[in-house]
Amino acid sequence: GNAADFTWTFTTRGYVLPFRDLPVLDCSGQTYKYLGADFDTMFFRAEAPGHYITYGFLAPKTGPYEIRVAHTVSASYGRWQFRLDGQPLGTPVDGYNAATLPVGGNPLLGTVALRAGQHRLEVRVVGKHEDSTGYFCGLVSLTLKPVTKAPRGD
């Protein structure tokens, strides 16, 4: 799919885009698939540190955004580092949880100035929690929240 095929949904949280609608631009070779029903998750069957998957997305307009990624947590999920256009974004995110939860986390990865148009979001496995049985990854949605300048008190 072309990254231009999708439409952002604007909510009070910002522009929300399900990972199921994003094109996969690159992958280290493992299986990825959509888990529908209650999960609404793009599942990536990573098997070791270094495995990665890269999604494409279009920023709706130029400006600063808070970037969040909603993700699934489970007992077989790893720890991942996000990279935006090749630059690390935030700190590694741990997908481990004893119970599977469709949106177990929605961390703020950082505030970044984006140009309108095409961008790349890479998810790379960097390890796992000591109790996790695997390195899997499950992503639900990407949120870009426009940062409005705070009024200056002179």
Side-chain angles (χ1 to χ4, degrees), residues 38-101:
D38 297 337
F39 285 96
D40 194 17
T41 294
M42 277 302 293
F43 174 77
F44 175 49
R45 196 177 193 79
E47 293 162 5
H51 288 176
Y52 67 90
I53 188 166
T54 305
Y55 292 92
F57 71 93
L58 294 172
K61 52 190 176 186
T62 298
Y65 294 91
E66 288 181 354
I67 301 181
R68 289 183 183 274
V69 171
H71 64 88
T72 300
V73 295
S74 191
S76 58
Y77 279 30
R79 194 173 282 136
W80 330 297
Q81 175 67 55
F82 289 88
R83 294 175 73 85
L84 177 66
D85 298 330
Q87 298 301 311
L89 184 62
T91 56
V93 173
D94 196 335
Y96 171 78
N97 196 61
T100 299
L101 300 171

